[in-house]
Amino acid sequence: MKNYFKSDGKDALRATLSQPTLIGFDFDGTLAPIVNTPDVAVTPTPIARRLTALARLCPVAIISGRSIKDVRGRLGFMPKFVVGNHGAEGLPGHYDSIEDKCMDALRERIFSHAAEMAVLGICIEDKGLSFSLHYRGSRTELPALRFIEALLAPFRNDLAIFGGKYVVNVATAGAPDKFAALQALLEESGMAGAVFIGDDVTDETVFAGAPSTWLTIRVGGKVPDSRAMYFVDSQSQVVNLIQDMLDLLTAYGHRG
Ligand SMILES: [Mg+2]
């Protein structure tokens, strides 16, 4: 894992963008700064302005853990693709009609414990194809996490459960993850390669699966066990990264 701005990051970006490329972004913590209330997260104007320009030069995809309906209004620009629920929602021709009895049973169990979760500072986000249980607002992190673990224990073998920053996510088992989503979009768009930028555990599916012809960048400093090729120190540097993409693509004169 190399520092994008302090090594050969821009050269690697140049090489990747010399072929027809799809550019994918996670949303929270990547395009939008992490905020205490997930409800107020939006793309800052300097990033949104550059993404508007970028989307004219190549296909851009947003692959978020949020539902499509939720994330779309926060973007501030119109990407070619928006995929929600960690990859499970919105892929062309697939998966939107996944029905899972397990998710229904889980929904019932979660909402029957809503009052206790509120006391522990756990916030429930029902996204249809997945749940996010946020404990960022909790003053008692460990009890909150233990409560969530006990709540999900009966479903451990039947649903996909994965962590994130102050969140436990639960999704339909077998649903496409972010890597599967990006692969499908690559095929759909007919592009040869991909650049993907993300900041969290679910983005690691892309980092781990990416062939050497892709470029992957993790936001938030060096993480020893990350599989991303490069990192940038903070979300505030993403604007410079997108500017690099614009400069290179303008020079190449690509059209998406
Ligand atoms: Mg994120």
Side-chain angles (χ1 to χ4, degrees), residues 141-173:
E141 255 170 50
L142 202 59
L145 199 52
R146 289 216 175 109
F147 188 88
I148 293 171
E149 276 169 11
L151 188 77
L152 301 180
F155 302 93
R156 191 149 286 286
N157 297 327
D158 303 309
L159 294 169
I161 299 171
F162 44 95
K165 287 177 184 160
Y166 300 102
V167 65
V168 176
N169 303 293
V170 196
T172 305

Side-chain angles (χ1 to χ4, degrees), residues 26-30 34 178 198-200 203:
D26 164 56
F27 177 69
D28 291 276
T30 300
I34 294 282
K178 286 194 176 192
D199 76 314
D200 209 345
D203 303 308

